[in-house]
Amino acid sequence: MLKQVSFTKDMQAFCNKMNESYSVKCKLAEVAFFLKLFHSLNVLNRRRGGYFVRKFLFGLLALVFAEIALFIVIGKAIGVLYTLLLIISTSVVGLLIAKQRGTKSVQDIQKSLQQGQPPAVAMIETFMIFIGGALLALPGFITDIIGLFFLLGITRNLFKPVVFYFLRKRMKKGQVVILQR
């Protein structure tokens, strides 16, 4: 804990020396340090299955810092009020689109079940629409762009082979089990 406090003071002194106290370069330097610090702590052990968790946490931490840096850049460019309005409007529009497409995909699942066909494709589309809506609901520009990729039909079709590959890989390892009644 003392190491973090001393580094934070050192980073602030460095940023003040460089005359860029709250610039994006200093924020990126802080992100790099905290990633190195997190890695050096070796919180998660690879032998206990923590490798996936570690990658997930690193990705999540990088996403948060990238979103903050983008908020700062866009806030300086167009102003704080317009940035907040843009974030709120993308969340509302995204949720409306997700609701509309989500109900349609649930109806497609019901339709394929009534016809006696396996609803695998419809279920994956519903899942991707749900993920896209959730990403659009989160405040941030990067998550909004990724969420739109999951909601739009053209880009969603590009992600389907990746999802099928992931599911097949998990099924071969026995991590995903399909039950038939």
Side-chain angles (χ1 to χ4, degrees):
M1 196 63 152
L2 294 174
K3 194 174 188 180
Q4 289 177 345
V5 173
S6 66
F7 174 77
T8 306
K9 289 180 183 176
D10 291 341
M11 182 53 72
Q12 288 174 352
F14 169 75
C15 290
N16 288 334
K17 189 187 305 180
M18 296 300 289
N19 232 355
E20 301 175 345
S21 61
Y22 290 106
S23 71
V24 175
K25 290 179 185 176
C26 289
K27 291 294 179 191
L28 291 177
E30 287 182 45
V31 169
F33 168 74
F34 284 117
L35 286 175
K36 286 181 184 177
L37 179 68
F38 188 75
H39 182 67
S40 68
L41 289 176
N42 200 7
V43 176
L44 301 170
N45 190 355
R46 184 181 284 200
R47 289 183 213 140
R48 289 186 234 150
Y51 185 67
F52 174 76
V53 176
R54 185 185 329 194
K55 286 188 344 185
F56 179 74
L57 288 177
F58 280 145
L60 188 63
L61 188 66
L63 178 69
V64 168
F65 283 124
E67 291 282 7
I68 291 171
L70 198 58
F71 282 147
I72 292 170
V73 169
I74 292 177
K76 284 183 179 180
I78 65 172
V80 175
L81 181 64
Y82 290 122
T83 304
L84 290 175
L85 288 174
L86 187 61
I87 291 168
I88 292 169
S89 63
T90 56
S91 295
V92 169
V93 168
L95 288 175
L96 291 175
I97 292 172
K99 180 182 175 187
Q100 176 192 12
R101 296 199 188 245
T103 54
K104 183 185 178 300
S105 64
V106 168
Q107 290 171 352
D108 289 343
I109 289 174
Q110 292 173 347
K111 183 177 164 184
S112 63
L113 285 174
Q114 288 173 352
Q115 294 175 353
Q117 299 173 350
V121 176
M123 288 178 69
I124 288 175
E125 282 193 12
T126 304
F127 175 72
M128 293 175 77
I129 288 170
F130 172 75
I131 295 295
L135 287 172
L136 277 170
L138 292 174
F141 296 109
I142 297 171
T143 55
D144 286 346
I145 291 170
I146 296 170
L148 278 175
F149 282 149
F150 277 104
L151 282 180
L152 297 176
I154 296 169
T155 54
R156 192 172 54 236
N157 288 336
L158 295 175
F159 287 118
K160 278 184 197 175
V162 175
V163 173
F164 279 122
Y165 172 77
F166 177 76
L167 286 175
R168 282 188 196 109
K169 186 177 168 183
R170 297 289 180 189
M171 288 172 75
K172 284 181 183 178
K173 290 182 179 179
Q175 295 173 340
V176 174
V177 179
I178 298 175
L179 299 175
Q180 293 181 336
R181 295 183 185 191

